[in-house]
Amino acid sequence: MQKQVAFKSFMCLPSFLKLLFPLLFITILTVFIISRNISFPYIDLVTSTTDENIVLPSALNSQISHLQNQLGDLLEQLHTVNTDSKFVVKFTDSVLGIAVSVDRLADKLSHLYGDPPISQNGKSRIEEEVGDSDDSEVEERSMGERILNSGELHNYTAPKPNRQVGKKNFLGVEAVYPSIGLSCIGAASSIDQFMTYKTYGICPDDWVVAQKLIVGGCDPLPRRRCFSRSPQRYSKPLPIHSSLWTPPTGTNILWTHYKCKDYSCLISNQTIGRQGFFKCSDCFNLTKRCWEVPSNETDSAEFTIDEVLRLKPGEIRIGLDFSPTTGTFAAIMRERNVTIASATLNLGAPFNEVIALRGLLPLYISVGSRLPFFDNTLDIIHSTLFLDGWIGLEVLQYVLFDWDRVLRPKGILWIDRFFCSKEDMKLYLDEFTKLGYRKLLWRVVPKTDKQGDELFFSAVLEKPHRASR
């Protein structure tokens, strides 16, 4: 009788589940057979059997990662099935138990895998792709292929069940689903390179690869299980009363991927044009404070910080500066008891490192990323030398609406010296006007360092209170 009930329950299952049962069995059987019959050319045959001397083939790692992905897909589909069948519930618990066991096995074996196969010219497959990664990634996008070979990447993206199988955690889920940017699929060679490292070892010195991925939309990047590199002669930072305006110690910066190899190069007139960056050319000269001396309204589009703060006395406490910056705006605001996070990438120079060494908060984020703040939380958003005439109108709309999301009612949006051609200015001004903000300060002046065909625009705008009904 029980067999008949189980059979009826099975027949009532959706068709995709009936197909997945044999698929799961075949996959487990395949991994078992492969693990027994693979010839292991990379295993070092030694007399000792300690973990330190055991080396497993990378092919086995890929097979286990593939199984983890299939188990994760099966669990996700099982959770979407609307059925009260005890058979399905029991089967789901069994699959979840298998997934947990496979995850634990993968963790136990993670440090035993050998390096990927080496080609005849002495370079690994990953290394061969680095030189022409741009061409390969374009080809991957055009063909729509989704080839991600890194076993560690598959390990990361697989669902991670809670310690107590089948029970929800305080977040209300039975497993953690790690996040990764959708565009990572279109940059397979670079993301595989990024995720190729020795677990529990020192991470590769590859932040340039990471930043390229972020700018290309592979954001968030996957987490890694390796230790970040530190400068060899790192020294303790200066106290906050000194660090804001003292050039940081060059030994606290990894200079490997910068054209400049010390801090003096970043500010020297002798190295202009060879410093590796052009946005915010005076950023690293900490003697130039800015935003403190009132300017002529007919000649300059710059407002002073005190002028802006007087618009909301005592109300501006926390905010964001989204600019190519080393934190000078945030440092001046800190002196006025306002906490500012500085959002920027490392555009050819150590912007984020210098912000942190000054005792300020760097936010490493790209223009294509959603801000990591909750709705209606910030008092002010400031942006300068970033929203220029290069930006498309649709991208600008998404950026402005995200800024609107995190600004609190009556919060301030400070657009500082936005510039573009005269013929495009009206298009951009229309986008700012569509927000429906109240104009507290508004100024448009000629940009005098060009041939007279560009304009500066600055504004301080107040977000309206949009009460829900």
Side-chain angles (χ1 to χ4, degrees), residues 316-331:
I316 307 301
R317 306 153 301 158
I318 57 173
L320 172 70
D321 181 23
F322 207 120
S323 312
T325 179
T326 56
T328 295
F329 179 83

Side-chain angles (χ1 to χ4, degrees), residues 135-145 186:
D135 294 337
S136 64
E137 285 163 16
V138 170
E139 183 179 354
E140 286 159 8
R141 288 190 180 95
S142 62
M143 296 176 63
E145 296 178 341

Side-chain angles (χ1 to χ4, degrees), residues 9 13 17 78 81 83 85-93:
S9 299
L13 289 176
L17 277 178
L78 284 170
V81 176
T83 178
S85 170
K86 294 182 179 179
F87 178 74
V88 174
V89 173
K90 187 175 181 180
F91 179 75
T92 302
D93 290 341

Side-chain angles (χ1 to χ4, degrees), residues 383-399:
S383 181
T384 185
L385 302 176
F386 167 66
L387 292 181
D388 302 334
W390 64 268
I391 195 167
L393 295 181
E394 190 172 17
V395 176
L396 177 62
Q397 290 170 3
Y398 280 108
V399 170

